[in-house]
Amino acid sequence: MTTLHPHTGTAAAGADLHNTPARVAPAVTDRAYLASLKGVTAAYVITAFVALLIGVLIGPLQALNYAGINVYDNQLLRLLVKSYYQGLTLHGVLNALVFTQFFISGWMLYLPVRDLGMRINTKFAWGTYIVMTLGLVLTAAALLLNDATVLYTLYPPMMGTPLFYIGASIFVAASWGVLAQVVYTWLQWKRQNPGRVTPLVAHMSVATWLMWFIASLGLVAEALLFLVPWSVQTWLQTRAGGPVTATIDPLIARTLFWWTGHAIVYFWLLPAYIAWYAFLPRHAGGRLASEPLTRLAFVLFLLNGVGVGLHHQFANPNIDNTWKIIHMFLTFLVAIPSLLTAFSVAAALEDAARARGGGGVVGWIRRLPWENPVFVGITLSMISFIPGGAGGIVNASQAFAPVVHNTAWIPGHFHITVGTATTMTFMAVSFWLIPHLLGKPLPSPRLARWSQWVWFWGMILFAVGMHWQGLMGVPRRAQVSAVSQPEVYEAMNVAVPRLLTGISGVLLLIGGLMFFYVFFKMVFSKSVQDGENVPIPYSPAISGAGEDLASASPLVRLTEPLLALGVLGLIIVLLVYLPVLLPMITNMQGAPGWQLWRN
């Protein structure tokens, strides 16, 4: 029988699962260094959840809007949030951008460093955290002052103040600092360990950071070449009292945004995949199915996760339809690593359940550790991702996209991908990561577990309600609860999905508050043990990658040179984007900035 940790329900370090030894993180003897590394990781994670808390508190307002209930006219609320659109911008930016980037920067700094057993400069790590926080403060100030109500997509000619774009640029640049530190550390390890196979967690982390580097180039180019100069010039001309001549090409900006804007979804998902592949089997008491297959899935995302953004621009003119079809096809190919993941994780869970005595075609599911909040959170996030991934195929299809594009379907889809697969996984990970980092036990495993169930059903109801409304033609990013002709909305026969959406908002608020009660009670409790007593829950593998590259399988050798594969991924992206962008650049169409929310 597997020995379970009393606080997190994970198997103890080095436990013998199916007679297969699990990996143990290399020991760190310098306690001061380890405390600093864990401290900066905890700072990233806690900041992430503070951002999520604020975003979650705004979330029910959006759900009530799609239930036909307008709460934005409340005078007390107006002291904080001036409009539905400001609330939507805050909700989207804090939850989708700030929460994810802070958590990932801590998660994927700590994991590869511990996996490789390397020492990093923790002063540099703290420096990137401070820079990222500075970017967040500048961006948040513009949002809270209602100076940048430009929604999540930042579409020009909607224009925020320079403070917003400069803050967002600093925010993204800080992630490059983390990226550089992780890749440099991995290269140092490669030099010190020639001929060795990169450990799996480090491999997945480096592949994800390289994918993010390629993906973020679009947003960096949009910000530095267009948004910042345009907003600064407009601000200066406005201050001078003269005519405002600064313009921007909306189509170029939108294309550069979606270079990053779709691939960023994989930057959110792949860190969750690390938990699914490397740690979930251990939480379940089982084994990872195949390390080589796992490495292949991440390399496929590195090669093909970025050049897919044009499927968000099917309706945009002046883009050759051939390239839209190519991007659509490349998007469909992303289903391959996703299906590899579904197969591998399902196999790992079945392996665990049958080791516990489970049987039958589906009867083994009952023998999984449903009492473990880490397992419950991650597993429910994966279940919700099944319809989320299927909906992504619909969104990417040039035949179906016009039916659902810019309808309530899209936020419904978004919430069962990022709102569950990513967010729930990060929530569940925190149940063992905070005890590991700070030596503080999970205070109430039962409440932690129930928070995940309530959040899961809230998201499912929200997804059903919003997908349903989208199919009926209800637009997204619209204050439908305050339309001037409500009879039009009433005639859509959306009473049932509106009700479901409203209930979902209440459930998500309850589930969120349950989670944050557990999380912050844990964070603010006293440290009672050495965090190393809560081990990183590595899973043993049925099919390992081995340690010696010369004797490794061809698939392991093929997926080892991540830098070369990253260069190949960049070349693919340039091949599918430059023919689209160059004609736009040679025929730019400028438009002045608008701030419609002030009218």
Side-chain angles (χ1 to χ4, degrees):
M1 178 176 291
T2 302
T3 302
L4 299 181
H5 190 277
H7 299 307
T8 63
T10 58
D16 192 6
L17 304 171
H18 302 263
N19 298 318
T20 306
R23 177 177 172 75
V24 178
V28 179
T29 56
D30 186 339
R31 307 303 290 180
Y33 162 75
L34 183 60
S36 182
L37 177 61
K38 288 188 172 184
V40 70
T41 305
Y44 273 118
V45 171
I46 293 170
T47 306
F49 280 109
V50 170
L52 182 67
L53 171 61
I54 300 171
V56 164
L57 292 176
I58 300 172
L61 308 181
Q62 318 303 323
L64 290 174
N65 171 60
Y66 277 96
I69 302 171
N70 176 24
V71 293
Y72 280 96
D73 287 342
N74 182 285
Q75 293 303 312
L76 287 178
L77 181 61
R78 276 187 172 273
L79 295 175
L80 300 173
V81 182
K82 304 301 181 189
S83 68
Y84 162 81
Y85 298 99
Q86 186 188 12
L88 183 57
T89 305
L90 282 166
H91 178 69
V93 171
L94 289 175
N95 284 2
L97 299 179
V98 178
F99 162 64
T100 53
Q101 181 156 309
F102 266 97
F103 187 93
I104 291 167
S105 295
W107 174 245
M108 288 206 313
L109 171 67
Y110 184 77
L111 286 181
V113 169
R114 290 300 307 270
D115 199 36
L116 296 171
M118 298 292 286
R119 187 185 181 98
I120 64 168
N121 185 333
T122 53
K123 290 183 180 177
F124 183 85
W126 276 106
T128 55
Y129 168 77
I130 292 170
V131 171
M132 189 177 292
T133 304
L134 173 64
L136 168 61
V137 169
L138 297 179
T139 305
L143 291 172
L144 292 172
L145 292 171
N146 201 25
D147 287 335
T149 303
V150 293
L151 305 180
Y152 159 74
T153 48
L154 321 179
Y155 279 167
M158 291 277 281
M159 183 176 64
T161 59
L163 187 67
F164 175 74
Y165 297 120
I166 292 171
S169 300
I170 293 173
F171 186 70
V172 174
S175 74
W176 281 15
V178 184
L179 180 160
Q181 194 163 29
V182 170
V183 174
Y184 175 78
T185 303
W186 171 65
L187 291 174
Q188 291 292 100
W189 182 89
K190 294 286 288 181
R191 290 192 190 94
Q192 296 174 16
N193 299 272
R196 286 189 61 189
V197 176
T198 301
L200 180 63
V201 169
H203 183 276
M204 292 188 286
S205 301
V206 173
T208 303
W209 277 120
L210 291 176
M211 192 281 295
W212 170 240
F213 174 73
I214 300 170
S216 60
L217 290 175
L219 192 59
V220 169
E222 182 191 11
L224 297 184
L225 299 179
F226 296 96
L227 295 176
V228 171
W230 167 60
S231 61
V232 169
Q233 188 179 0
T234 300
W235 185 80
L236 291 174
Q237 290 176 339
T238 304
R239 285 276 179 174
V244 176
T245 59
T247 60
I248 193 169
D249 187 314
L251 186 58
I252 293 178
R254 183 172 295 200
T255 304
L256 289 172
F257 175 84
W258 283 117
W259 173 320
T260 303
H262 186 83
I264 199 173
V265 174
Y266 306 131
F267 180 59
W268 300 331
L269 282 174
L270 293 184
Y273 278 16
I274 292 176
W276 298 4
Y277 274 114
F279 306 133
L280 180 63
R282 179 63 168 272
H283 295 301
R287 299 169 293 179
L288 167 67
S290 170
E291 284 193 20
L293 201 63
T294 304
R295 293 161 60 99
L296 175 63
F298 276 73
V299 166
L300 290 177
F301 276 110
L302 175 59
L303 293 175
N304 188 47
V306 181
V308 297
L310 287 188
H311 77 260
H312 289 266
Q313 296 181 264
F314 286 145
N316 288 169
N318 299 329
I319 298 176
D320 191 306
N321 198 49
T322 301
W323 291 107
K324 294 178 181 176
I325 294 173
I326 290 173
H327 278 237
M328 177 184 71
F329 176 72
L330 293 176
T331 308
F332 290 159
L333 290 182
V334 176
I336 294 174
S338 298
L339 291 174
L340 288 178
T341 302
F343 165 77
S344 296
V345 175
L349 295 184
E350 183 176 357
D351 175 65
R354 293 195 184 280
R356 289 165 169 261
V361 177
V362 294
W364 55 268
I365 295 175
R366 292 176 299 174
R367 302 306 295 267
L368 290 169
W370 294 103
E371 74 285 355
N372 179 350
V374 183
F375 172 83
V376 168
I378 296 177
T379 302
L380 293 181
S381 79
M382 296 189 305
I383 292 172
S384 69
F385 189 57
I386 296 172
I393 299 294
V394 173
N395 300 344
S397 165
Q398 200 169 27
F400 294 127
V403 178
V404 299
H405 189 64
N406 276 335
T407 72
W409 168 289
I410 300 300
H413 165 76
F414 200 64
H415 279 74
I416 52 169
T417 51
V418 180
T420 51
T422 298
T423 304
M424 286 187 71
T425 297
F426 293 173
M427 285 177 168
V429 161
S430 75
F431 296 151
W432 71 260
L433 184 61
I434 292 297
H436 170 77
L437 295 175
L438 303 179
K440 301 177 178 183
L442 182 64
S444 176
R446 170 181 277 189
L447 188 61
R449 184 174 69 246
W450 275 107
S451 74
Q452 299 304 287
W453 277 107
V454 175
W455 183 273
F456 169 76
W457 282 112
M459 279 296 177
I460 293 297
L461 288 183
F462 183 84
V464 172
M466 293 295 280
H467 278 86
W468 192 340
Q469 292 198 56
L471 290 175
M472 301 301 287
V474 176
R476 70 164 171 159
R477 298 191 291 199
Q479 193 173 7
V480 294
S481 60
V483 293
S484 59
Q485 295 177 301
E487 62 274 14
V488 175
Y489 189 34
E490 300 292 341
M492 288 182 172
N493 295 320
V494 290
V496 174
R498 282 172 59 175
L499 177 62
L500 294 177
T501 307
I503 294 173
S504 74
V506 176
L507 283 178
L508 286 168
L509 179 62
I510 295 172
L513 292 177
M514 292 166 67
F515 167 78
F516 286 115
Y517 172 78
V518 172
F519 179 82
F520 287 111
K521 186 177 182 181
M522 178 167 56
V523 167
F524 290 114
S525 66
K526 290 185 179 178
S527 177
V528 297
Q529 62 178 328
D530 183 350
E532 291 300 285
N533 291 333
V534 182
I536 298 174
Y538 287 108
S539 303
I542 298 173
S543 175
E547 295 186 356
D548 182 14
L549 200 56
S551 60
S553 69
L555 184 54
V556 172
R557 294 198 298 272
L558 182 67
T559 54
E560 180 66 19
L562 289 172
L563 274 187
L565 291 166
V567 171
L568 179 58
L570 177 60
I571 292 172
I572 293 172
V573 173
L574 294 176
L575 287 174
V576 298
Y577 261 111
L578 289 183
V580 177
L581 284 166
L582 289 177
M584 297 181 191
I585 294 171
T586 56
N587 186 28
M588 295 179 66
Q589 304 294 321
W594 296 346
Q595 292 189 332
L596 297 178
W597 66 91
R598 295 193 186 282
N599 295 333

